[in-house]
Amino acid sequence: MPTDDDDSAVENNAGPTASATKRTTVRIVKGGPMVIDGPVDIVLDDGTRVCSDRFAVAVCTCRRSRNYPLCDTSHRAKKRPAQSSEDRPVDQRDMT
């Protein structure tokens, strides 16, 4: 019969403790993907499984990725930010 001092019987019947369970970290990137600590198995609504053994996996949230459900950075703007005249090569500067 277990006593109050003997909590091993309770621990054996209670299943895994919180310290034994590893939590997965999910980071939401504003305007970008959801980054999940890997490895991961992703199950799509049609039952398709996508597996990745990488240490971190970027999951597309914009649905523009050609490699959906994995992010291929299609959410980023395709044009470069405007350069100031000082950053442009000399032959492209307005020298008036």
Side-chain angles (χ1 to χ4, degrees):
M1 180 171 202
T3 63
D4 289 339
D5 296 336
D6 184 4
D7 60 344
S8 62
V10 174
E11 202 171 299
N12 290 336
N13 293 329
T17 61
S19 62
T21 305
K22 184 177 183 244
R23 293 184 183 259
T24 301
T25 301
V26 178
R27 289 176 296 285
I28 309 297
V29 179
K30 185 176 180 180
M34 192 171 15
V35 181
I36 304 172
D37 287 348
V40 299
D41 290 332
I42 301 168
V43 181
L44 301 177
D45 56 356
D46 65 358
T48 304
R49 284 183 91 89
V50 178
C51 302
S52 177
D53 291 325
R54 297 189 65 158
F55 68 93
V57 179
V59 177
C60 177
T61 57
C62 71
R63 293 190 160 268
R64 291 184 220 158
S65 174
R66 291 189 182 124
N67 196 25
Y68 186 83
L70 304 177
C71 179
D72 67 359
T73 67
S74 293
H75 60 275
R76 294 182 185 166
K78 297 296 180 188
K79 55 185 173 182
R80 292 183 173 173
Q83 293 178 332
S84 69
S85 63
E86 293 176 8
D87 293 339
R88 284 186 244 147
V90 174
D91 62 333
Q92 293 180 1
R93 290 184 190 172
D94 197 11
M95 303 298 245
T96 57

